[in-house]
Amino acid sequence: MLKAREISWTKDHKTILRNIDFHLFSGECVGLIGPNGSGKSSLLKILSFLETPTSGLLYFQGQSVPRNVPLPIRRRIAIVFQEPLLLNTHVFDNVAIGLKIRGLSKRLIRERVDYWLEQFGVSHLSKQLARSLSGGEAQRVSLARAFVLEPDILFLDEPFSALDAPTKEELRRDLGQVFKATQTTTVLVSHDFRDILHLTNRALILLNGQVMAEGSPSELLKGPQQEDVEHFLQHYSYK
Ligand SMILES: Nc1ncnc2c1ncn2[C@@H]1O[C@H](COP(=O)(O)OP(=O)(O)OP(=O)(O)O)[C@@H](O)[C@H]1O
Ligand SMILES: [Mg+2]
């Protein structure tokens, strides 16, 4: 589905990502985990075509991706950021906007938006203004807005990090159920290994802009890993 070969990214004479190889198969959820500043969001931005790497190649569905990424390719992906970026309008319109831009009929838009609001348990908020939502509600609306596009690849950058523990657990569980039902191909960034354990089937550990380890979440925890990876993993009570 998506492949990256020897990606490096340098900005202001600083190397942010170094020689990264990455692949994502259809239907899997792959995690990117690492400490603050390790390059997770940077890699996500490059994989989702928001930034252009300094060197390296990207392939989408077997085709090399040109530096100036064509709109039809950009429209096949959806991104959810850590802070929900909602427009100052009603919840329904926020979720519908991407479909309107894509020119779907009013009837189809209503059907799909209603379906995804329901899946994330926020149907009752449909007519509420986005700015009056709680953090947890806003994040659910952001997820509905991404899923409604039925993207080929979904990119999630720390979607739960602004939420309190119970809200986070509940949303993680609901998202897990949606993944199971839809098999949406996803890249999930998190610094919380619980997200990785519950939601991904494979994860990459990033340290200082490099991939230091890759495997199933349980393999990664079992180790043995290089000293700096062990050091990172020891911050989790699982080790
Ligand atoms: N556009 C940019 N210009 C310059 N430096 C950048 C840019 N984007 C990211 N960086 C730097 O690259 C490094 C990695 O940042 P990035 O946001 O990818 O880390 P992260 O792993 O997502 O961290 P966090 O867990 O805090 O979100 C940081 O040192 C950051 O300052
Ligand atoms: Mg980040």
Side-chain angles (χ1 to χ4, degrees):
M1 180 71 86
L2 182 69
K3 204 165 120 179
R5 294 260 304 140
E6 295 185 17
I7 295 290
S8 293
W9 194 40
T10 304
K11 203 99 193 176
D12 307 332
H13 308 291
K14 190 177 145 195
T15 302
I16 297 170
L17 298 172
R18 217 182 289 263
N19 262 335
I20 294 192
D21 285 325
F22 175 89
H23 64 275
L24 178 69
F25 295 119
S26 181
E28 66 174 350
C29 179
V30 169
L32 301 178
I33 188 161
N36 289 138
S38 55
K40 304 178 299 293
S41 295
S42 301
L43 180 56
L44 197 85
K45 282 181 198 153
I46 284 175
L47 295 174
S48 59
F49 315 129
L50 291 175
E51 294 281 1
T52 311
T54 313
S55 61
L57 290 171
L58 286 168
Y59 300 87
F60 180 69
Q61 295 181 333
Q63 304 278 323
S64 166
V65 178
R67 289 184 81 77
N68 198 351
V69 184
L71 193 59
I73 294 187
R74 288 181 185 276
R75 283 197 171 164
R76 309 264 278 281
I77 64 171
I79 309 166
V80 176
F81 297 100
Q82 178 174 350
E83 299 293 334
L85 289 174
L86 295 173
L87 303 171
N88 191 15
T89 167
H90 294 98
V91 164
F92 184 94
D93 294 337
N94 265 280
V95 178
I97 182 90
L99 300 180
K100 275 189 194 154
I101 291 171
R102 284 163 177 78
L104 266 73
S105 73
K106 270 198 170 148
R107 190 183 55 84
L108 252 182
I109 292 175
R110 172 150 297 277
E111 250 175 50
R112 275 219 229 164
V113 172
D114 285 349
Y115 177 79
W116 282 108
L117 288 176
E118 169 83 39
Q119 290 300 301
F120 283 101
V122 283
S123 298
H124 59 293
L125 303 173
S126 176
K127 293 194 177 87
Q128 198 166 318
L129 280 174
R131 66 159 180 244
S132 63
L133 299 174
S134 74
E137 290 166 347
Q139 204 50 286
R140 285 175 177 273
V141 171
S142 296
L143 286 164
R145 186 173 59 172
F147 274 95
V148 83
L149 300 173
E150 299 180 355
D152 288 349
I153 307 176
L154 176 66
F155 293 92
L156 304 176
D157 194 352
E158 312 236 21
F160 320 121
S161 63
L163 311 178
D164 63 32
T167 309
K168 183 174 174 164
E169 243 161 68
E170 207 182 325
L171 185 51
R172 186 197 289 129
R173 197 193 54 222
D174 289 357
L175 184 61
Q177 277 169 1
V178 170
F179 278 156
K180 224 182 222 163
T182 59
Q183 306 277 309
T184 302
T185 310
T186 305
V187 183
L188 170 74
V189 168
S190 178
H191 61 258
D192 186 338
F193 215 94
R194 275 167 300 190
D195 299 339
I196 302 295
L197 271 174
H198 281 99
L199 297 171
T200 74
N201 53 311
R202 184 158 62 80
L204 282 67
I205 298 179
L206 281 176
L207 295 180
N208 296 320
Q210 281 180 287
V211 176
M212 303 302 288
E214 181 178 349
S216 72
S218 51
E219 272 167 15
L220 288 173
L221 283 178
K222 209 167 359 136
Q225 304 288 354
Q226 295 179 52
E227 203 181 331
D228 41 4
V229 177
E230 281 293 334
H231 183 74
F232 167 68
L233 288 170
Q234 253 146 32
H235 288 289
Y236 298 96
S237 50
Y238 298 95
K239 270 294 247 197

